[in-house]
Amino acid sequence: MSPTTPTDPNTPNDPTDSGSRTAEPEADVAVLARLLPELPERDLPPGRHLHHRNVLLRRIDAEQRTARPRRRLTRPAVVMPAVAAALTAALVITLTPHNDRAPAAGPDTGRGATVLLGRIAAASMETDTKAVKDSQFVYVQSLVRSNEGVLDGPVKLGPAYKQEAWLSQDPAPVTTIGWTRESGKGATMPDEDVPIEASTPDGSDDTGAVPAGIDRPTYKWLASLPTDPDALLALLRTQVRPADGETEDQAVFFRAGDLLSQTVMPAANAAAFYRAVAKIPGVTEIPDAVDAAGRHGIGVTLDDTGTATRDEWIFDKHTLAFLGSRSYLTKDHKPGKADVLFGSQAILRRAVVDQHGMEPADANS
């Protein structure tokens, strides 16, 4: 799929911390270590890893800046995926009136989404994607808004910030999956290149290195997947691991969206993903959706009653290029009541570069 390349919005980059810190980082780490239960050995894809990392770091910042004593979480240099998943599952969000709301998914029976995804698949087949070398990195630049609400508090979307990610394409097992850098008013560690580390051993390497696969998708691995949508959907169902309370369909939908927005893959594979998602029960069309950069498009969504959340993919209405995504809370949903937005993303650029930290010279690369 060809990425869109809108003008990069200028986001200010002068965050300040006006609050005082009540404990040293080392003490926080010790407290967290005692509180955390033993975790199963599993990993998360880079997209979801970054999501959990951002949620945690923003909650940590909010907790450290409040004057009232509260239970606090540590802020390690790199949050491990399994730990992030466990902590995120424990965070309680209260639904309160908020400006960032959207109507609940409409009465579309799925026919509209099937037709739309078929059109997107056909459009993706018209793209010309160059093969990515094992030594290169996939570069993804996004504009992101995340929830900055405190523990047990209402959703509070922070200001948009720019996030850049460099994802390794090395087919061999690696312990460093890639790097990420944030800038702008909402950034947690502005202008620092932070490694995305593997979390736990997968059984094949006692160093904890993760091979190319569903948890670390490379161009070469994606190109090896079946292009028949039924075969691809069956494969995804065997490889995704739903989070607690998450349905298998939602896990597949989320993972497919992560792969389609955060990687570079051959056109035939991208088309197969869209056609496979069209076969998931409950996927519906959204006539108008807006990404984090304010771009309007057409969307598809899947409402997951198990986790009371709804993920929404957004596409350009004319080119059908992937613009971004939004995530909503649907807890205690009643007919006619709006869902609560708790995160959004706009994909500004995707490219291939020769080393991490490098930005593509050509916006259309």
Side-chain angles (χ1 to χ4, degrees), residues 190-225:
D191 301 319
E192 293 186 26
D193 287 0
V194 180
I196 307 170
E197 302 285 0
S199 61
T200 56
D202 68 349
S204 63
D205 189 332
D206 58 11
T207 66
V210 178
I214 190 73
D215 293 323
R216 191 176 71 81
T218 62
Y219 178 90
K220 183 175 289 186
W221 178 80
L222 290 163
S224 73
L225 298 179

mmCIF file of all heavy atoms in Angstrom, residues 190-225:
data_model
loop_
_atom_site.group_PDB
_atom_site.id
_atom_site.type_symbol
_atom_site.label_atom_id
_atom_site.label_comp_id
_atom_site.label_asym_id
_atom_site.label_seq_id
_atom_site.Cartn_x
_atom_site.Cartn_y
_atom_site.Cartn_z
ATOM 1 N N PRO A 190 11.124 13.693 24.985
ATOM 2 C CA PRO A 190 11.312 14.431 23.735
ATOM 3 C C PRO A 190 12.694 14.246 23.115
ATOM 4 O O PRO A 190 13.718 14.333 23.790
ATOM 5 C CB PRO A 190 11.100 15.889 24.170
ATOM 6 C CG PRO A 190 10.310 15.817 25.426
ATOM 7 C CD PRO A 190 10.743 14.565 26.101
ATOM 8 N N ASP A 191 12.677 13.954 21.814
ATOM 9 C CA ASP A 191 13.885 13.910 20.985
ATOM 10 C C ASP A 191 14.914 12.883 21.423
ATOM 11 O O ASP A 191 16.090 12.983 21.067
ATOM 12 C CB ASP A 191 14.536 15.307 20.930
ATOM 13 C CG ASP A 191 13.588 16.354 20.371
ATOM 14 O OD1 ASP A 191 12.872 16.034 19.396
ATOM 15 O OD2 ASP A 191 13.537 17.471 20.909
ATOM 16 N N GLU A 192 14.486 11.883 22.180
ATOM 17 C CA GLU A 192 15.389 10.804 22.575
ATOM 18 C C GLU A 192 15.083 9.562 21.750
ATOM 19 O O GLU A 192 13.924 9.187 21.589
ATOM 20 C CB GLU A 192 15.238 10.478 24.061
ATOM 21 C CG GLU A 192 15.696 11.591 24.998
ATOM 22 C CD GLU A 192 15.657 11.147 26.445
ATOM 23 O OE1 GLU A 192 15.764 9.916 26.696
ATOM 24 O OE2 GLU A 192 15.514 12.011 27.324
ATOM 25 N N ASP A 193 16.114 8.909 21.248
ATOM 26 C CA ASP A 193 15.941 7.648 20.540
ATOM 27 C C ASP A 193 15.882 6.528 21.569
ATOM 28 O O ASP A 193 16.886 6.213 22.215
ATOM 29 C CB ASP A 193 17.099 7.418 19.567
ATOM 30 C CG ASP A 193 17.022 8.327 18.350
ATOM 31 O OD1 ASP A 193 16.070 9.123 18.272
ATOM 32 O OD2 ASP A 193 17.919 8.244 17.493
ATOM 33 N N VAL A 194 14.696 5.951 21.721
ATOM 34 C CA VAL A 194 14.459 4.936 22.743
ATOM 35 C C VAL A 194 14.344 3.567 22.079
ATOM 36 O O VAL A 194 13.535 3.388 21.167
ATOM 37 C CB VAL A 194 13.170 5.243 23.533
ATOM 38 C CG1 VAL A 194 12.920 4.177 24.591
ATOM 39 C CG2 VAL A 194 13.255 6.631 24.165
ATOM 40 N N PRO A 195 15.137 2.597 22.499
ATOM 41 C CA PRO A 195 15.049 1.269 21.879
ATOM 42 C C PRO A 195 13.758 0.559 22.243
ATOM 43 O O PRO A 195 13.242 0.698 23.353
ATOM 44 C CB PRO A 195 16.270 0.533 22.446
ATOM 45 C CG PRO A 195 16.565 1.231 23.736
ATOM 46 C CD PRO A 195 16.188 2.659 23.532
ATOM 47 N N ILE A 196 13.218 -0.189 21.292
ATOM 48 C CA ILE A 196 12.071 -1.063 21.547
ATOM 49 C C ILE A 196 12.650 -2.450 21.781
ATOM 50 O O ILE A 196 13.139 -3.094 20.854
ATOM 51 C CB ILE A 196 11.103 -1.089 20.342
ATOM 52 C CG1 ILE A 196 10.703 0.322 19.935
ATOM 53 C CG2 ILE A 196 9.860 -1.920 20.670
ATOM 54 C CD1 ILE A 196 9.948 0.374 18.611
ATOM 55 N N GLU A 197 12.637 -2.883 23.022
ATOM 56 C CA GLU A 197 13.306 -4.124 23.377
ATOM 57 C C GLU A 197 12.343 -5.303 23.387
ATOM 58 O O GLU A 197 11.167 -5.166 23.698
ATOM 59 C CB GLU A 197 13.942 -3.994 24.776
ATOM 60 C CG GLU A 197 14.943 -2.850 24.900
ATOM 61 C CD GLU A 197 16.261 -3.143 24.227
ATOM 62 O OE1 GLU A 197 16.403 -4.238 23.658
ATOM 63 O OE2 GLU A 197 17.157 -2.284 24.261
ATOM 64 N N ALA A 198 12.871 -6.491 23.068
ATOM 65 C CA ALA A 198 12.110 -7.726 23.221
ATOM 66 C C ALA A 198 11.895 -7.952 24.712
ATOM 67 O O ALA A 198 12.699 -7.539 25.546
ATOM 68 C CB ALA A 198 12.867 -8.893 22.602
ATOM 69 N N SER A 199 10.805 -8.634 25.065
ATOM 70 C CA SER A 199 10.447 -8.752 26.481
ATOM 71 C C SER A 199 10.923 -10.037 27.122
ATOM 72 O O SER A 199 11.564 -10.032 28.155
ATOM 73 C CB SER A 199 8.938 -8.627 26.653
ATOM 74 O OG SER A 199 8.276 -9.661 25.961
ATOM 75 N N THR A 200 10.595 -11.167 26.535
ATOM 76 C CA THR A 200 10.893 -12.445 27.174
ATOM 77 C C THR A 200 11.371 -13.445 26.145
ATOM 78 O O THR A 200 11.065 -13.338 24.964
ATOM 79 C CB THR A 200 9.634 -13.026 27.862
ATOM 80 O OG1 THR A 200 8.595 -13.127 26.893
ATOM 81 C CG2 THR A 200 9.171 -12.150 29.006
ATOM 82 N N PRO A 201 12.130 -14.463 26.564
ATOM 83 C CA PRO A 201 12.562 -15.493 25.614
ATOM 84 C C PRO A 201 11.379 -16.191 24.983
ATOM 85 O O PRO A 201 10.349 -16.385 25.620
ATOM 86 C CB PRO A 201 13.367 -16.458 26.491
ATOM 87 C CG PRO A 201 13.758 -15.659 27.689
ATOM 88 C CD PRO A 201 12.641 -14.682 27.918
ATOM 89 N N ASP A 202 11.505 -16.547 23.715
ATOM 90 C CA ASP A 202 10.417 -17.246 23.031
ATOM 91 C C ASP A 202 10.663 -18.742 22.958
ATOM 92 O O ASP A 202 9.907 -19.479 22.319
ATOM 93 C CB ASP A 202 10.229 -16.682 21.615
ATOM 94 C CG ASP A 202 11.405 -17.017 20.700
ATOM 95 O OD1 ASP A 202 12.439 -17.488 21.214
ATOM 96 O OD2 ASP A 202 11.271 -16.813 19.483
ATOM 97 N N GLY A 203 11.716 -19.205 23.610
ATOM 98 C CA GLY A 203 11.998 -20.632 23.637
ATOM 99 C C GLY A 203 13.098 -21.031 22.683
ATOM 100 O O GLY A 203 13.684 -22.100 22.823
ATOM 101 N N SER A 204 13.419 -20.171 21.701
ATOM 102 C CA SER A 204 14.438 -20.536 20.723
ATOM 103 C C SER A 204 15.769 -19.858 20.991
ATOM 104 O O SER A 204 16.785 -20.224 20.427
ATOM 105 C CB SER A 204 13.969 -20.163 19.312
ATOM 106 O OG SER A 204 13.793 -18.764 19.205
ATOM 107 N N ASP A 205 15.766 -18.858 21.869
ATOM 108 C CA ASP A 205 16.988 -18.117 22.124
ATOM 109 C C ASP A 205 16.959 -17.644 23.569
ATOM 110 O O ASP A 205 16.089 -16.870 23.960
ATOM 111 C CB ASP A 205 17.063 -16.927 21.159
ATOM 112 C CG ASP A 205 18.405 -16.226 21.207
ATOM 113 O OD1 ASP A 205 19.043 -16.264 22.265
ATOM 114 O OD2 ASP A 205 18.789 -15.643 20.190
ATOM 115 N N ASP A 206 17.917 -18.104 24.383
ATOM 116 C CA ASP A 206 17.881 -17.764 25.799
ATOM 117 C C ASP A 206 18.238 -16.310 26.066
ATOM 118 O O ASP A 206 18.207 -15.857 27.206
ATOM 119 C CB ASP A 206 18.782 -18.697 26.612
ATOM 120 C CG ASP A 206 20.236 -18.671 26.140
ATOM 121 O OD1 ASP A 206 20.573 -17.786 25.337
ATOM 122 O OD2 ASP A 206 21.014 -19.531 26.593
ATOM 123 N N THR A 207 18.588 -15.551 25.037
ATOM 124 C CA THR A 207 18.836 -14.118 25.218
ATOM 125 C C THR A 207 17.543 -13.314 25.191
ATOM 126 O O THR A 207 17.544 -12.125 25.504
ATOM 127 C CB THR A 207 19.760 -13.582 24.105
ATOM 128 O OG1 THR A 207 19.075 -13.653 22.848
ATOM 129 C CG2 THR A 207 21.057 -14.367 24.042
ATOM 130 N N GLY A 208 16.436 -13.946 24.821
ATOM 131 C CA GLY A 208 15.175 -13.219 24.690
ATOM 132 C C GLY A 208 14.975 -12.641 23.320
ATOM 133 O O GLY A 208 14.042 -11.872 23.091
ATOM 134 N N ALA A 209 15.838 -12.981 22.366
ATOM 135 C CA ALA A 209 15.717 -12.448 21.012
ATOM 136 C C ALA A 209 14.451 -12.960 20.335
ATOM 137 O O ALA A 209 14.037 -14.103 20.535
ATOM 138 C CB ALA A 209 16.947 -12.841 20.189
ATOM 139 N N VAL A 210 13.832 -12.095 19.531
ATOM 140 C CA VAL A 210 12.577 -12.418 18.854
ATOM 141 C C VAL A 210 12.833 -12.567 17.357
ATOM 142 O O VAL A 210 13.367 -11.657 16.720
ATOM 143 C CB VAL A 210 11.524 -11.316 19.091
ATOM 144 C CG1 VAL A 210 10.232 -11.634 18.354
ATOM 145 C CG2 VAL A 210 11.257 -11.144 20.575
ATOM 146 N N PRO A 211 12.452 -13.692 16.759
ATOM 147 C CA PRO A 211 12.656 -13.869 15.318
ATOM 148 C C PRO A 211 11.579 -13.130 14.528
ATOM 149 O O PRO A 211 10.571 -12.681 15.081
ATOM 150 C CB PRO A 211 12.520 -15.381 15.143
ATOM 151 C CG PRO A 211 11.558 -15.781 16.222
ATOM 152 C CD PRO A 211 11.863 -14.879 17.393
ATOM 153 N N ALA A 212 11.780 -13.002 13.232
ATOM 154 C CA ALA A 212 10.749 -12.417 12.372
ATOM 155 C C ALA A 212 9.507 -13.289 12.436
ATOM 156 O O ALA A 212 9.592 -14.517 12.455
ATOM 157 C CB ALA A 212 11.262 -12.309 10.943
ATOM 158 N N GLY A 213 8.338 -12.656 12.491
ATOM 159 C CA GLY A 213 7.088 -13.403 12.600
ATOM 160 C C GLY A 213 5.954 -12.482 12.976
ATOM 161 O O GLY A 213 6.051 -11.253 12.843
ATOM 162 N N ILE A 214 4.883 -13.037 13.483
ATOM 163 C CA ILE A 214 3.693 -12.263 13.804
ATOM 164 C C ILE A 214 3.965 -11.196 14.853
ATOM 165 O O ILE A 214 3.363 -10.129 14.855
ATOM 166 C CB ILE A 214 2.547 -13.204 14.278
ATOM 167 C CG1 ILE A 214 1.214 -12.444 14.386
ATOM 168 C CG2 ILE A 214 2.920 -13.874 15.592
ATOM 169 C CD1 ILE A 214 0.588 -12.095 13.083
ATOM 170 N N ASP A 215 4.920 -11.460 15.771
ATOM 171 C CA ASP A 215 5.243 -10.495 16.809
ATOM 172 C C ASP A 215 6.328 -9.512 16.386
ATOM 173 O O ASP A 215 6.575 -8.521 17.061
ATOM 174 C CB ASP A 215 5.683 -11.209 18.091
ATOM 175 C CG ASP A 215 4.543 -11.983 18.737
ATOM 176 O OD1 ASP A 215 3.406 -11.483 18.695
ATOM 177 O OD2 ASP A 215 4.799 -13.074 19.268
ATOM 178 N N ARG A 216 7.014 -9.808 15.281
ATOM 179 C CA ARG A 216 8.020 -8.885 14.731
ATOM 180 C C ARG A 216 7.980 -8.999 13.213
ATOM 181 O O ARG A 216 8.822 -9.635 12.600
ATOM 182 C CB ARG A 216 9.414 -9.200 15.280
ATOM 183 C CG ARG A 216 10.440 -8.118 14.940
ATOM 184 C CD ARG A 216 11.778 -8.399 15.571
ATOM 185 N NE ARG A 216 12.482 -9.498 14.972
ATOM 186 C CZ ARG A 216 13.194 -9.428 13.845
ATOM 187 N NH1 ARG A 216 13.262 -8.278 13.180
ATOM 188 N NH2 ARG A 216 13.826 -10.480 13.371
ATOM 189 N N PRO A 217 6.966 -8.407 12.612
ATOM 190 C CA PRO A 217 6.763 -8.573 11.158
ATOM 191 C C PRO A 217 7.794 -7.828 10.331
ATOM 192 O O PRO A 217 7.971 -6.620 10.479
ATOM 193 C CB PRO A 217 5.362 -8.002 10.940
ATOM 194 C CG PRO A 217 5.190 -7.009 12.046
ATOM 195 C CD PRO A 217 5.915 -7.575 13.229
ATOM 196 N N THR A 218 8.482 -8.526 9.480
ATOM 197 C CA THR A 218 9.412 -7.925 8.521
ATOM 198 C C THR A 218 8.807 -8.023 7.122
ATOM 199 O O THR A 218 7.857 -8.788 6.896
ATOM 200 C CB THR A 218 10.762 -8.653 8.539
ATOM 201 O OG1 THR A 218 10.555 -10.017 8.139
ATOM 202 C CG2 THR A 218 11.396 -8.613 9.930
ATOM 203 N N TYR A 219 9.368 -7.291 6.205
ATOM 204 C CA TYR A 219 8.892 -7.351 4.823
ATOM 205 C C TYR A 219 8.980 -8.780 4.290
ATOM 206 O O TYR A 219 8.034 -9.277 3.665
ATOM 207 C CB TYR A 219 9.715 -6.402 3.951
ATOM 208 C CG TYR A 219 9.323 -6.444 2.478
ATOM 209 C CD1 TYR A 219 8.339 -5.590 1.979
ATOM 210 C CD2 TYR A 219 9.937 -7.339 1.600
ATOM 211 C CE1 TYR A 219 7.976 -5.635 0.631
ATOM 212 C CE2 TYR A 219 9.575 -7.383 0.259
ATOM 213 C CZ TYR A 219 8.596 -6.541 -0.216
ATOM 214 O OH TYR A 219 8.240 -6.592 -1.535
ATOM 215 N N LYS A 220 10.107 -9.429 4.539
ATOM 216 C CA LYS A 220 10.297 -10.780 4.025
ATOM 217 C C LYS A 220 9.280 -11.754 4.630
ATOM 218 O O LYS A 220 8.726 -12.607 3.921
ATOM 219 C CB LYS A 220 11.724 -11.263 4.315
ATOM 220 C CG LYS A 220 12.038 -12.645 3.751
ATOM 221 C CD LYS A 220 13.498 -13.016 3.959
ATOM 222 C CE LYS A 220 14.403 -12.194 3.068
ATOM 223 N NZ LYS A 220 15.822 -12.630 3.148
ATOM 224 N N TRP A 221 9.000 -11.619 5.917
ATOM 225 C CA TRP A 221 8.013 -12.507 6.546
ATOM 226 C C TRP A 221 6.615 -12.231 5.994
ATOM 227 O O TRP A 221 5.864 -13.161 5.686
ATOM 228 C CB TRP A 221 8.025 -12.320 8.062
ATOM 229 C CG TRP A 221 7.010 -13.175 8.756
ATOM 230 C CD1 TRP A 221 7.108 -14.505 9.065
ATOM 231 C CD2 TRP A 221 5.712 -12.762 9.190
ATOM 232 N NE1 TRP A 221 5.950 -14.949 9.677
ATOM 233 C CE2 TRP A 221 5.074 -13.899 9.765
ATOM 234 C CE3 TRP A 221 5.017 -11.555 9.162
ATOM 235 C CZ2 TRP A 221 3.792 -13.851 10.305
ATOM 236 C CZ3 TRP A 221 3.740 -11.509 9.691
ATOM 237 C CH2 TRP A 221 3.141 -12.652 10.244
ATOM 238 N N LEU A 222 6.259 -10.957 5.867
ATOM 239 C CA LEU A 222 4.943 -10.612 5.333
ATOM 240 C C LEU A 222 4.775 -11.128 3.908
ATOM 241 O O LEU A 222 3.697 -11.600 3.529
ATOM 242 C CB LEU A 222 4.755 -9.092 5.372
ATOM 243 C CG LEU A 222 4.585 -8.476 6.768
ATOM 244 C CD1 LEU A 222 4.833 -6.973 6.717
ATOM 245 C CD2 LEU A 222 3.209 -8.782 7.328
ATOM 246 N N ALA A 223 5.851 -11.063 3.110
ATOM 247 C CA ALA A 223 5.789 -11.537 1.727
ATOM 248 C C ALA A 223 5.604 -13.043 1.647
ATOM 249 O O ALA A 223 5.152 -13.563 0.614
ATOM 250 C CB ALA A 223 7.054 -11.119 0.980
ATOM 251 N N SER A 224 5.924 -13.750 2.731
ATOM 252 C CA SER A 224 5.792 -15.209 2.741
ATOM 253 C C SER A 224 4.381 -15.679 3.099
ATOM 254 O O SER A 224 4.077 -16.866 2.995
ATOM 255 C CB SER A 224 6.782 -15.822 3.741
ATOM 256 O OG SER A 224 6.372 -15.578 5.085
ATOM 257 N N LEU A 225 3.508 -14.769 3.511
ATOM 258 C CA LEU A 225 2.161 -15.139 3.936
ATOM 259 C C LEU A 225 1.285 -15.478 2.737
ATOM 260 O O LEU A 225 1.501 -14.986 1.629
ATOM 261 C CB LEU A 225 1.532 -13.991 4.736
ATOM 262 C CG LEU A 225 2.240 -13.605 6.036
ATOM 263 C CD1 LEU A 225 1.513 -12.440 6.700
ATOM 264 C CD2 LEU A 225 2.326 -14.791 6.989
#
